[in-house]
Amino acid sequence: MKHLPENDIAWFTETCDECGSAFSLKIKTKLHDEKTPYQHLEVYQTETFGNLMVLDGCIMLSTRDNFIYHEMMTHPALFGHADPRRVAIIGGGDCGCLKQCLKHDGVEKVTQIDIDPAVTRASQLYFPELCVSNDDPRAELLFEDGIAWIKNAEPGSLDLIVIDSTDPVGPAVGLFSEAFYGDCYRALGADGLLVAQSESPLLHKRLIQDMTAAMRAAGFAEVHQLYFPQCVYPSGWWTATVAASSAGKFDKNGCRALKKSFETVYYNNLIHKAALAIPEFMK
Ligand code: SAM
């Protein structure tokens, strides 16, 4: 553990050069620094946000506010699907989405495919609260390229695919492509849903439009954005994009969430509906 000099109040800053913006958190100490075969992995202890995971200089999650993102990447799709049983998570190595998916009693299996085992090792050490479901008999953790895994998945073998990836750089570039969405479409059943983290509406509108077009071109009948706050990400305003294999197979009213049998901190039926409201500039 690298302690900072007592009188040295340090800050971690993530800069977004193309956006001309930055976000900083006051740091107590650096807990982990590792060059994995795939990325630069750092973990910091912050003054007010708990622990902070950073990959290649980009904030992945903090102890304090990851609940918003992990709940919004999973529950709208799981409650928007009539009967989700077989789930695949591409990326998601911190295991936060895995934990949320396994709260759904009807889910029979969640396979998490992250290319980098170091991320899960670091999460087990510094974010143990996200890894509490890793030993659930329904959970399967694989460490390989999600692009190849989806390409080899049996057609119609999945009800939901969650793409909890890093930004479209490095090994994650292919996770934002029409070809990959086409492989996802084939792996999903007729009632299947796909949900992908889709960056900031304020800073990345064009990317969101491109992702939406690529999902439609890949065969998805419906594509919707979910809007939610996420203060540690650039602009503090984030989206997840939900795509339905067939029309009318994503319940925008989230009726099943009215019978939610477990605790959440952010998500509920009203949030489900409100997150789908489209800001004027995104229409
Ligand atoms: N919530 C974060 C965000 O929005 O930036 C992402 C969380 S998770 C840590 C992102 C994961 O995507 C990383 O663990 C990374 O290893 C994984 N990843 C990137 N490219 C991948 C690929 N081609 N296949 C599988 N996992 C990949």
Side-chain angles (χ1 to χ4, degrees):
M1 183 181 295
K2 298 174 178 59
H3 286 288
L4 299 162
E6 279 313 306
N7 60 351
D8 183 359
I9 295 184
W11 293 79
F12 170 83
T13 297
E14 176 186 341
T15 56
C16 182
D17 294 334
E18 73 274 14
C19 319
S21 66
F23 175 78
S24 301
L25 284 172
K26 199 184 280 187
I27 296 300
K28 276 185 182 167
T29 189
K30 181 177 242 185
L31 298 170
H32 191 91
D33 191 322
E34 179 181 359
K35 291 278 175 35
T36 84
Y38 300 96
Q39 48 215 340
H40 182 196
L41 167 60
E42 299 168 279
V43 181
Y44 295 88
Q45 184 185 16
T46 74
E47 290 278 352
T48 59
F49 271 64
N51 287 346
L52 182 75
M53 182 188 287
V54 177
L55 288 178
D56 289 339
C58 295
I59 291 174
M60 292 294 113
L61 69 136
S62 81
T63 305
R64 183 171 182 182
D65 73 341
N66 75 76
F67 67 91
I68 302 176
Y69 175 86
H70 288 129
E71 290 183 12
M72 290 308 289
M73 279 290 291
T74 53
H75 299 312
L78 284 163
F79 282 118
H81 189 291
D83 183 19
R85 298 166 184 256
R86 308 157 300 169
V87 181
I89 299 170
I90 307 301
D94 53 72
C95 304
C97 284
L98 177 69
K99 171 184 171 182
Q100 296 299 330
C101 288
L102 290 168
K103 286 182 176 178
H104 292 252
D105 293 337
V107 167
E108 294 168 354
K109 182 163 186 185
V110 185
T111 304
Q112 178 178 285
I113 308 101
D114 197 301
I115 202 165
D116 193 346
V119 174
T120 300
R121 281 198 300 272
S123 197
Q124 286 163 334
L125 277 174
Y126 305 110
F127 300 90
E129 71 280 7
L130 297 185
C131 300
V132 292
S133 303
N134 287 18
D135 295 331
D136 185 310
R138 297 173 292 164
E140 179 184 29
L141 276 67
L142 302 177
F143 298 103
E144 58 188 273
D145 186 339
I147 297 169
W149 190 88
I150 284 287
K151 193 182 284 294
N152 297 321
E154 277 298 305
S157 60
L158 296 168
D159 300 309
L160 172 64
I161 299 172
V162 178
I163 308 170
D164 179 13
S165 74
T166 38
D167 302 327
V169 293
V173 169
L175 298 175
F176 292 76
S177 70
E178 181 182 334
F180 173 66
Y181 295 143
D183 289 337
C184 289
Y185 182 78
R186 187 184 42 72
L188 288 163
D191 298 348
L193 296 179
L194 170 76
V195 59
Q197 78 89 358
S198 44
E199 309 283 325
S200 164
L202 192 66
L203 304 176
H204 306 114
K205 176 181 176 184
R206 182 59 199 270
L207 173 76
I208 295 170
Q209 290 172 327
D210 291 348
M211 286 175 71
T212 299
M215 289 175 182
R216 288 189 189 285
F220 288 95
E222 281 183 27
V223 184
H224 307 283
Q225 269 74 46
L226 294 157
Y227 297 84
F228 53 91
Q230 189 62 54
C231 109
V232 296
Y233 290 163
S235 84
W237 189 22
W238 217 246
T239 62
T241 294
V242 180
S245 295
S246 310
K249 293 298 182 183
F250 170 61
D251 177 9
K252 294 176 68 178
N253 291 313
C255 298
R256 291 199 314 106
L258 289 167
K259 301 189 184 73
K260 175 165 70 79
S261 61
F262 51 80
E263 287 298 307
T264 47
V265 185
Y266 181 78
Y267 175 85
N268 57 38
N269 169 259
L270 292 176
I271 290 280
H272 183 114
K273 292 187 281 191
L276 288 162
I278 306 172
E280 282 302 304
F281 80 104
M282 290 298 289
K283 285 179 177 174

mmCIF file with all atom_site columns, all heavy atoms in Angstrom, residues 109-130:
data_model
loop_
_atom_site.group_PDB
_atom_site.id
_atom_site.type_symbol
_atom_site.label_atom_id
_atom_site.label_alt_id
_atom_site.label_comp_id
_atom_site.label_asym_id
_atom_site.label_entity_id
_atom_site.label_seq_id
_atom_site.pdbx_PDB_ins_code
_atom_site.Cartn_x
_atom_site.Cartn_y
_atom_site.Cartn_z
_atom_site.occupancy
_atom_site.B_iso_or_equiv
_atom_site.pdbx_formal_charge
_atom_site.auth_seq_id
_atom_site.auth_comp_id
_atom_site.auth_asym_id
_atom_site.auth_atom_id
_atom_site.pdbx_PDB_model_num
ATOM 1   N N   . LYS A 1 109 ? -29.327 -18.895 -14.502 1.00 0.00 ? 109 LYS A N   1
ATOM 2   C CA  . LYS A 1 109 ? -27.873 -18.922 -14.708 1.00 0.00 ? 109 LYS A CA  1
ATOM 3   C C   . LYS A 1 109 ? -27.390 -17.560 -15.195 1.00 0.00 ? 109 LYS A C   1
ATOM 4   O O   . LYS A 1 109 ? -28.036 -16.940 -16.043 1.00 0.00 ? 109 LYS A O   1
ATOM 5   C CB  . LYS A 1 109 ? -27.490 -19.978 -15.747 1.00 0.00 ? 109 LYS A CB  1
ATOM 6   C CG  . LYS A 1 109 ? -25.971 -20.056 -15.951 1.00 0.00 ? 109 LYS A CG  1
ATOM 7   C CD  . LYS A 1 109 ? -25.527 -21.303 -16.639 1.00 0.00 ? 109 LYS A CD  1
ATOM 8   C CE  . LYS A 1 109 ? -23.996 -21.386 -16.680 1.00 0.00 ? 109 LYS A CE  1
ATOM 9   N NZ  . LYS A 1 109 ? -23.525 -22.543 -17.451 1.00 0.00 ? 109 LYS A NZ  1
ATOM 10  N N   . VAL A 1 110 ? -26.290 -17.097 -14.616 1.00 0.00 ? 110 VAL A N   1
ATOM 11  C CA  . VAL A 1 110 ? -25.630 -15.875 -15.096 1.00 0.00 ? 110 VAL A CA  1
ATOM 12  C C   . VAL A 1 110 ? -24.178 -16.222 -15.400 1.00 0.00 ? 110 VAL A C   1
ATOM 13  O O   . VAL A 1 110 ? -23.439 -16.634 -14.516 1.00 0.00 ? 110 VAL A O   1
ATOM 14  C CB  . VAL A 1 110 ? -25.680 -14.729 -14.078 1.00 0.00 ? 110 VAL A CB  1
ATOM 15  C CG1 . VAL A 1 110 ? -25.095 -13.455 -14.692 1.00 0.00 ? 110 VAL A CG1 1
ATOM 16  C CG2 . VAL A 1 110 ? -27.115 -14.469 -13.609 1.00 0.00 ? 110 VAL A CG2 1
ATOM 17  N N   . THR A 1 111 ? -23.806 -16.077 -16.666 1.00 0.00 ? 111 THR A N   1
ATOM 18  C CA  . THR A 1 111 ? -22.412 -16.307 -17.070 1.00 0.00 ? 111 THR A CA  1
ATOM 19  C C   . THR A 1 111 ? -21.755 -14.945 -17.292 1.00 0.00 ? 111 THR A C   1
ATOM 20  O O   . THR A 1 111 ? -22.254 -14.147 -18.078 1.00 0.00 ? 111 THR A O   1
ATOM 21  C CB  . THR A 1 111 ? -22.355 -17.128 -18.366 1.00 0.00 ? 111 THR A CB  1
ATOM 22  O OG1 . THR A 1 111 ? -23.088 -18.351 -18.167 1.00 0.00 ? 111 THR A OG1 1
ATOM 23  C CG2 . THR A 1 111 ? -20.911 -17.457 -18.738 1.00 0.00 ? 111 THR A CG2 1
ATOM 24  N N   . GLN A 1 112 ? -20.701 -14.686 -16.559 1.00 0.00 ? 112 GLN A N   1
ATOM 25  C CA  . GLN A 1 112 ? -19.984 -13.408 -16.688 1.00 0.00 ? 112 GLN A CA  1
ATOM 26  C C   . GLN A 1 112 ? -18.666 -13.660 -17.411 1.00 0.00 ? 112 GLN A C   1
ATOM 27  O O   . GLN A 1 112 ? -17.897 -14.533 -16.989 1.00 0.00 ? 112 GLN A O   1
ATOM 28  C CB  . GLN A 1 112 ? -19.722 -12.801 -15.308 1.00 0.00 ? 112 GLN A CB  1
ATOM 29  C CG  . GLN A 1 112 ? -18.936 -11.494 -15.333 1.00 0.00 ? 112 GLN A CG  1
ATOM 30  C CD  . GLN A 1 112 ? -18.761 -10.920 -13.929 1.00 0.00 ? 112 GLN A CD  1
ATOM 31  O OE1 . GLN A 1 112 ? -19.707 -10.378 -13.354 1.00 0.00 ? 112 GLN A OE1 1
ATOM 32  N NE2 . GLN A 1 112 ? -17.583 -11.057 -13.375 1.00 0.00 ? 112 GLN A NE2 1
ATOM 33  N N   . ILE A 1 113 ? -18.472 -12.939 -18.510 1.00 0.00 ? 113 ILE A N   1
ATOM 34  C CA  . ILE A 1 113 ? -17.282 -13.161 -19.337 1.00 0.00 ? 113 ILE A CA  1
ATOM 35  C C   . ILE A 1 113 ? -16.475 -11.856 -19.373 1.00 0.00 ? 113 ILE A C   1
ATOM 36  O O   . ILE A 1 113 ? -16.832 -10.931 -20.106 1.00 0.00 ? 113 ILE A O   1
ATOM 37  C CB  . ILE A 1 113 ? -17.663 -13.580 -20.771 1.00 0.00 ? 113 ILE A CB  1
ATOM 38  C CG1 . ILE A 1 113 ? -18.649 -14.776 -20.739 1.00 0.00 ? 113 ILE A CG1 1
ATOM 39  C CG2 . ILE A 1 113 ? -16.431 -13.890 -21.592 1.00 0.00 ? 113 ILE A CG2 1
ATOM 40  C CD1 . ILE A 1 113 ? -20.091 -14.374 -20.961 1.00 0.00 ? 113 ILE A CD1 1
ATOM 41  N N   . ASP A 1 114 ? -15.442 -11.756 -18.562 1.00 0.00 ? 114 ASP A N   1
ATOM 42  C CA  . ASP A 1 114 ? -14.561 -10.597 -18.592 1.00 0.00 ? 114 ASP A CA  1
ATOM 43  C C   . ASP A 1 114 ? -13.186 -11.041 -19.087 1.00 0.00 ? 114 ASP A C   1
ATOM 44  O O   . ASP A 1 114 ? -12.715 -12.110 -18.731 1.00 0.00 ? 114 ASP A O   1
ATOM 45  C CB  . ASP A 1 114 ? -14.439 -9.952  -17.194 1.00 0.00 ? 114 ASP A CB  1
ATOM 46  C CG  . ASP A 1 114 ? -13.886 -8.524  -17.287 1.00 0.00 ? 114 ASP A CG  1
ATOM 47  O OD1 . ASP A 1 114 ? -12.759 -8.359  -17.815 1.00 0.00 ? 114 ASP A OD1 1
ATOM 48  O OD2 . ASP A 1 114 ? -14.583 -7.578  -16.880 1.00 0.00 ? 114 ASP A OD2 1
ATOM 49  N N   . ILE A 1 115 ? -12.592 -10.218 -19.923 1.00 0.00 ? 115 ILE A N   1
ATOM 50  C CA  . ILE A 1 115 ? -11.325 -10.614 -20.554 1.00 0.00 ? 115 ILE A CA  1
ATOM 51  C C   . ILE A 1 115 ? -10.186 -10.610 -19.527 1.00 0.00 ? 115 ILE A C   1
ATOM 52  O O   . ILE A 1 115 ? -9.158  -11.271 -19.731 1.00 0.00 ? 115 ILE A O   1
ATOM 53  C CB  . ILE A 1 115 ? -11.023 -9.660  -21.734 1.00 0.00 ? 115 ILE A CB  1
ATOM 54  C CG1 . ILE A 1 115 ? -10.062 -10.288 -22.738 1.00 0.00 ? 115 ILE A CG1 1
ATOM 55  C CG2 . ILE A 1 115 ? -10.536 -8.296  -21.249 1.00 0.00 ? 115 ILE A CG2 1
ATOM 56  C CD1 . ILE A 1 115 ? -10.025 -9.557  -24.073 1.00 0.00 ? 115 ILE A CD1 1
ATOM 57  N N   . ASP A 1 116 ? -10.372 -9.876  -18.406 1.00 0.00 ? 116 ASP A N   1
ATOM 58  C CA  . ASP A 1 116 ? -9.237  -9.652  -17.504 1.00 0.00 ? 116 ASP A CA  1
ATOM 59  C C   . ASP A 1 116 ? -9.520  -10.131 -16.075 1.00 0.00 ? 116 ASP A C   1
ATOM 60  O O   . ASP A 1 116 ? -10.229 -9.459  -15.316 1.00 0.00 ? 116 ASP A O   1
ATOM 61  C CB  . ASP A 1 116 ? -8.928  -8.131  -17.491 1.00 0.00 ? 116 ASP A CB  1
ATOM 62  C CG  . ASP A 1 116 ? -7.588  -7.830  -16.848 1.00 0.00 ? 116 ASP A CG  1
ATOM 63  O OD1 . ASP A 1 116 ? -7.035  -8.738  -16.192 1.00 0.00 ? 116 ASP A OD1 1
ATOM 64  O OD2 . ASP A 1 116 ? -7.114  -6.692  -17.003 1.00 0.00 ? 116 ASP A OD2 1
ATOM 65  N N   . PRO A 1 117 ? -8.963  -11.267 -15.655 1.00 0.00 ? 117 PRO A N   1
ATOM 66  C CA  . PRO A 1 117 ? -9.207  -11.786 -14.290 1.00 0.00 ? 117 PRO A CA  1
ATOM 67  C C   . PRO A 1 117 ? -8.686  -10.844 -13.202 1.00 0.00 ? 117 PRO A C   1
ATOM 68  O O   . PRO A 1 117 ? -9.195  -10.865 -12.068 1.00 0.00 ? 117 PRO A O   1
ATOM 69  C CB  . PRO A 1 117 ? -8.451  -13.112 -14.270 1.00 0.00 ? 117 PRO A CB  1
ATOM 70  C CG  . PRO A 1 117 ? -7.497  -13.075 -15.416 1.00 0.00 ? 117 PRO A CG  1
ATOM 71  C CD  . PRO A 1 117 ? -8.098  -12.161 -16.434 1.00 0.00 ? 117 PRO A CD  1
ATOM 72  N N   . ALA A 1 118 ? -7.756  -9.975  -13.552 1.00 0.00 ? 118 ALA A N   1
ATOM 73  C CA  . ALA A 1 118 ? -7.189  -9.066  -12.535 1.00 0.00 ? 118 ALA A CA  1
ATOM 74  C C   . ALA A 1 118 ? -8.257  -8.125  -11.989 1.00 0.00 ? 118 ALA A C   1
ATOM 75  O O   . ALA A 1 118 ? -8.224  -7.717  -10.825 1.00 0.00 ? 118 ALA A O   1
ATOM 76  C CB  . ALA A 1 118 ? -6.036  -8.259  -13.143 1.00 0.00 ? 118 ALA A CB  1
ATOM 77  N N   . VAL A 1 119 ? -9.252  -7.794  -12.831 1.00 0.00 ? 119 VAL A N   1
ATOM 78  C CA  . VAL A 1 119 ? -10.312 -6.875  -12.384 1.00 0.00 ? 119 VAL A CA  1
ATOM 79  C C   . VAL A 1 119 ? -11.141 -7.548  -11.294 1.00 0.00 ? 119 VAL A C   1
ATOM 80  O O   . VAL A 1 119 ? -11.445 -6.947  -10.259 1.00 0.00 ? 119 VAL A O   1
ATOM 81  C CB  . VAL A 1 119 ? -11.204 -6.458  -13.568 1.00 0.00 ? 119 VAL A CB  1
ATOM 82  C CG1 . VAL A 1 119 ? -12.390 -5.619  -13.096 1.00 0.00 ? 119 VAL A CG1 1
ATOM 83  C CG2 . VAL A 1 119 ? -10.392 -5.674  -14.602 1.00 0.00 ? 119 VAL A CG2 1
ATOM 84  N N   . THR A 1 120 ? -11.472 -8.815  -11.496 1.00 0.00 ? 120 THR A N   1
ATOM 85  C CA  . THR A 1 120 ? -12.268 -9.532  -10.489 1.00 0.00 ? 120 THR A CA  1
ATOM 86  C C   . THR A 1 120 ? -11.445 -9.759  -9.224  1.00 0.00 ? 120 THR A C   1
ATOM 87  O O   . THR A 1 120 ? -11.945 -9.613  -8.102  1.00 0.00 ? 120 THR A O   1
ATOM 88  C CB  . THR A 1 120 ? -12.777 -10.856 -11.071 1.00 0.00 ? 120 THR A CB  1
ATOM 89  O OG1 . THR A 1 120 ? -13.592 -10.546 -12.224 1.00 0.00 ? 120 THR A OG1 1
ATOM 90  C CG2 . THR A 1 120 ? -13.617 -11.641 -10.075 1.00 0.00 ? 120 THR A CG2 1
ATOM 91  N N   . ARG A 1 121 ? -10.144 -10.061 -9.391  1.00 0.00 ? 121 ARG A N   1
ATOM 92  C CA  . ARG A 1 121 ? -9.291  -10.235 -8.201  1.00 0.00 ? 121 ARG A CA  1
ATOM 93  C C   . ARG A 1 121 ? -9.267  -8.948  -7.379  1.00 0.00 ? 121 ARG A C   1
ATOM 94  O O   . ARG A 1 121 ? -9.418  -8.949  -6.154  1.00 0.00 ? 121 ARG A O   1
ATOM 95  C CB  . ARG A 1 121 ? -7.867  -10.610 -8.617  1.00 0.00 ? 121 ARG A CB  1
ATOM 96  C CG  . ARG A 1 121 ? -7.669  -12.067 -8.999  1.00 0.00 ? 121 ARG A CG  1
ATOM 97  C CD  . ARG A 1 121 ? -6.175  -12.443 -8.976  1.00 0.00 ? 121 ARG A CD  1
ATOM 98  N NE  . ARG A 1 121 ? -5.398  -11.632 -9.910  1.00 0.00 ? 121 ARG A NE  1
ATOM 99  C CZ  . ARG A 1 121 ? -5.198  -11.944 -11.198 1.00 0.00 ? 121 ARG A CZ  1
ATOM 100 N NH1 . ARG A 1 121 ? -5.773  -13.032 -11.694 1.00 0.00 ? 121 ARG A NH1 1
ATOM 101 N NH2 . ARG A 1 121 ? -4.466  -11.173 -11.996 1.00 0.00 ? 121 ARG A NH2 1
ATOM 102 N N   . ALA A 1 122 ? -9.138  -7.807  -8.067  1.00 0.00 ? 122 ALA A N   1
ATOM 103 C CA  . ALA A 1 122 ? -9.088  -6.514  -7.366  1.00 0.00 ? 122 ALA A CA  1
ATOM 104 C C   . ALA A 1 122 ? -10.430 -6.210  -6.715  1.00 0.00 ? 122 ALA A C   1
ATOM 105 O O   . ALA A 1 122 ? -10.498 -5.700  -5.585  1.00 0.00 ? 122 ALA A O   1
ATOM 106 C CB  . ALA A 1 122 ? -8.721  -5.404  -8.350  1.00 0.00 ? 122 ALA A CB  1
ATOM 107 N N   . SER A 1 123 ? -11.532 -6.581  -7.394  1.00 0.00 ? 123 SER A N   1
ATOM 108 C CA  . SER A 1 123 ? -12.848 -6.315  -6.801  1.00 0.00 ? 123 SER A CA  1
ATOM 109 C C   . SER A 1 123 ? -13.053 -7.155  -5.547  1.00 0.00 ? 123 SER A C   1
ATOM 110 O O   . SER A 1 123 ? -13.594 -6.680  -4.536  1.00 0.00 ? 123 SER A O   1
ATOM 111 C CB  . SER A 1 123 ? -13.959 -6.611  -7.829  1.00 0.00 ? 123 SER A CB  1
ATOM 112 O OG  . SER A 1 123 ? -15.175 -6.012  -7.428  1.00 0.00 ? 123 SER A OG  1
ATOM 113 N N   . GLN A 1 124 ? -12.592 -8.404  -5.592  1.00 0.00 ? 124 GLN A N   1
ATOM 114 C CA  . GLN A 1 124 ? -12.726 -9.261  -4.391  1.00 0.00 ? 124 GLN A CA  1
ATOM 115 C C   . GLN A 1 124 ? -11.954 -8.666  -3.214  1.00 0.00 ? 124 GLN A C   1
ATOM 116 O O   . GLN A 1 124 ? -12.393 -8.757  -2.056  1.00 0.00 ? 124 GLN A O   1
ATOM 117 C CB  . GLN A 1 124 ? -12.242 -10.674 -4.724  1.00 0.00 ? 124 GLN A CB  1
ATOM 118 C CG  . GLN A 1 124 ? -13.232 -11.443 -5.605  1.00 0.00 ? 124 GLN A CG  1
ATOM 119 C CD  . GLN A 1 124 ? -12.630 -12.669 -6.288  1.00 0.00 ? 124 GLN A CD  1
ATOM 120 O OE1 . GLN A 1 124 ? -11.421 -12.745 -6.527  1.00 0.00 ? 124 GLN A OE1 1
ATOM 121 N NE2 . GLN A 1 124 ? -13.486 -13.621 -6.643  1.00 0.00 ? 124 GLN A NE2 1
ATOM 122 N N   . LEU A 1 125 ? -10.843 -7.998  -3.507  1.00 0.00 ? 125 LEU A N   1
ATOM 123 C CA  . LEU A 1 125 ? -10.026 -7.399  -2.432  1.00 0.00 ? 125 LEU A CA  1
ATOM 124 C C   . LEU A 1 125 ? -10.607 -6.076  -1.933  1.00 0.00 ? 125 LEU A C   1
ATOM 125 O O   . LEU A 1 125 ? -10.670 -5.832  -0.721  1.00 0.00 ? 125 LEU A O   1
ATOM 126 C CB  . LEU A 1 125 ? -8.613  -7.126  -2.962  1.00 0.00 ? 125 LEU A CB  1
ATOM 127 C CG  . LEU A 1 125 ? -7.609  -8.265  -2.960  1.00 0.00 ? 125 LEU A CG  1
ATOM 128 C CD1 . LEU A 1 125 ? -6.314  -7.833  -3.652  1.00 0.00 ? 125 LEU A CD1 1
ATOM 129 C CD2 . LEU A 1 125 ? -7.316  -8.706  -1.522  1.00 0.00 ? 125 LEU A CD2 1
ATOM 130 N N   . TYR A 1 126 ? -11.015 -5.207  -2.875  1.00 0.00 ? 126 TYR A N   1
ATOM 131 C CA  . TYR A 1 126 ? -11.319 -3.820  -2.504  1.00 0.00 ? 126 TYR A CA  1
ATOM 132 C C   . TYR A 1 126 ? -12.805 -3.459  -2.601  1.00 0.00 ? 126 TYR A C   1
ATOM 133 O O   . TYR A 1 126 ? -13.202 -2.385  -2.133  1.00 0.00 ? 126 TYR A O   1
ATOM 134 C CB  . TYR A 1 126 ? -10.502 -2.865  -3.394  1.00 0.00 ? 126 TYR A CB  1
ATOM 135 C CG  . TYR A 1 126 ? -9.023  -3.143  -3.346  1.00 0.00 ? 126 TYR A CG  1
ATOM 136 C CD1 . TYR A 1 126 ? -8.345  -3.678  -4.449  1.00 0.00 ? 126 TYR A CD1 1
ATOM 137 C CD2 . TYR A 1 126 ? -8.292  -2.925  -2.179  1.00 0.00 ? 126 TYR A CD2 1
ATOM 138 C CE1 . TYR A 1 126 ? -6.980  -3.964  -4.394  1.00 0.00 ? 126 TYR A CE1 1
ATOM 139 C CE2 . TYR A 1 126 ? -6.932  -3.196  -2.115  1.00 0.00 ? 126 TYR A CE2 1
ATOM 140 C CZ  . TYR A 1 126 ? -6.281  -3.721  -3.226  1.00 0.00 ? 126 TYR A CZ  1
ATOM 141 O OH  . TYR A 1 126 ? -4.933  -4.005  -3.165  1.00 0.00 ? 126 TYR A OH  1
ATOM 142 N N   . PHE A 1 127 ? -13.612 -4.341  -3.240  1.00 0.00 ? 127 PHE A N   1
ATOM 143 C CA  . PHE A 1 127 ? -15.057 -4.105  -3.322  1.00 0.00 ? 127 PHE A CA  1
ATOM 144 C C   . PHE A 1 127 ? -15.788 -5.401  -2.964  1.00 0.00 ? 127 PHE A C   1
ATOM 145 O O   . PHE A 1 127 ? -16.612 -5.915  -3.720  1.00 0.00 ? 127 PHE A O   1
ATOM 146 C CB  . PHE A 1 127 ? -15.449 -3.634  -4.738  1.00 0.00 ? 127 PHE A CB  1
ATOM 147 C CG  . PHE A 1 127 ? -14.778 -2.362  -5.169  1.00 0.00 ? 127 PHE A CG  1
ATOM 148 C CD1 . PHE A 1 127 ? -13.555 -2.394  -5.827  1.00 0.00 ? 127 PHE A CD1 1
ATOM 149 C CD2 . PHE A 1 127 ? -15.349 -1.113  -4.901  1.00 0.00 ? 127 PHE A CD2 1
ATOM 150 C CE1 . PHE A 1 127 ? -12.910 -1.231  -6.203  1.00 0.00 ? 127 PHE A CE1 1
ATOM 151 C CE2 . PHE A 1 127 ? -14.705 0.057   -5.288  1.00 0.00 ? 127 PHE A CE2 1
ATOM 152 C CZ  . PHE A 1 127 ? -13.486 0.006   -5.933  1.00 0.00 ? 127 PHE A CZ  1
ATOM 153 N N   . PRO A 1 128 ? -15.467 -5.994  -1.817  1.00 0.00 ? 128 PRO A N   1
ATOM 154 C CA  . PRO A 1 128 ? -16.039 -7.314  -1.469  1.00 0.00 ? 128 PRO A CA  1
ATOM 155 C C   . PRO A 1 128 ? -17.566 -7.300  -1.456  1.00 0.00 ? 128 PRO A C   1
ATOM 156 O O   . PRO A 1 128 ? -18.206 -8.314  -1.732  1.00 0.00 ? 128 PRO A O   1
ATOM 157 C CB  . PRO A 1 128 ? -15.462 -7.612  -0.081  1.00 0.00 ? 128 PRO A CB  1
ATOM 158 C CG  . PRO A 1 128 ? -14.972 -6.300  0.456   1.00 0.00 ? 128 PRO A CG  1
ATOM 159 C CD  . PRO A 1 128 ? -14.601 -5.470  -0.718  1.00 0.00 ? 128 PRO A CD  1
ATOM 160 N N   . GLU A 1 129 ? -18.151 -6.143  -1.220  1.00 0.00 ? 129 GLU A N   1
ATOM 161 C CA  . GLU A 1 129 ? -19.616 -6.044  -1.178  1.00 0.00 ? 129 GLU A CA  1
ATOM 162 C C   . GLU A 1 129 ? -20.233 -6.299  -2.554  1.00 0.00 ? 129 GLU A C   1
ATOM 163 O O   . GLU A 1 129 ? -21.412 -6.650  -2.643  1.00 0.00 ? 129 GLU A O   1
ATOM 164 C CB  . GLU A 1 129 ? -20.050 -4.670  -0.641  1.00 0.00 ? 129 GLU A CB  1
ATOM 165 C CG  . GLU A 1 129 ? -19.824 -3.490  -1.568  1.00 0.00 ? 129 GLU A CG  1
ATOM 166 C CD  . GLU A 1 129 ? -18.378 -2.969  -1.570  1.00 0.00 ? 129 GLU A CD  1
ATOM 167 O OE1 . GLU A 1 129 ? -17.489 -3.602  -0.957  1.00 0.00 ? 129 GLU A OE1 1
ATOM 168 O OE2 . GLU A 1 129 ? -18.147 -1.905  -2.204  1.00 0.00 ? 129 GLU A OE2 1
ATOM 169 N N   . LEU A 1 130 ? -19.430 -6.166  -3.615  1.00 0.00 ? 130 LEU A N   1
ATOM 170 C CA  . LEU A 1 130 ? -19.944 -6.442  -4.972  1.00 0.00 ? 130 LEU A CA  1
ATOM 171 C C   . LEU A 1 130 ? -19.798 -7.922  -5.329  1.00 0.00 ? 130 LEU A C   1
ATOM 172 O O   . LEU A 1 130 ? -20.397 -8.386  -6.293  1.00 0.00 ? 130 LEU A O   1
ATOM 173 C CB  . LEU A 1 130 ? -19.198 -5.587  -5.998  1.00 0.00 ? 130 LEU A CB  1
ATOM 174 C CG  . LEU A 1 130 ? -19.352 -4.068  -5.877  1.00 0.00 ? 130 LEU A CG  1
ATOM 175 C CD1 . LEU A 1 130 ? -18.645 -3.384  -7.038  1.00 0.00 ? 130 LEU A CD1 1
ATOM 176 C CD2 . LEU A 1 130 ? -20.812 -3.661  -5.825  1.00 0.00 ? 130 LEU A CD2 1
#
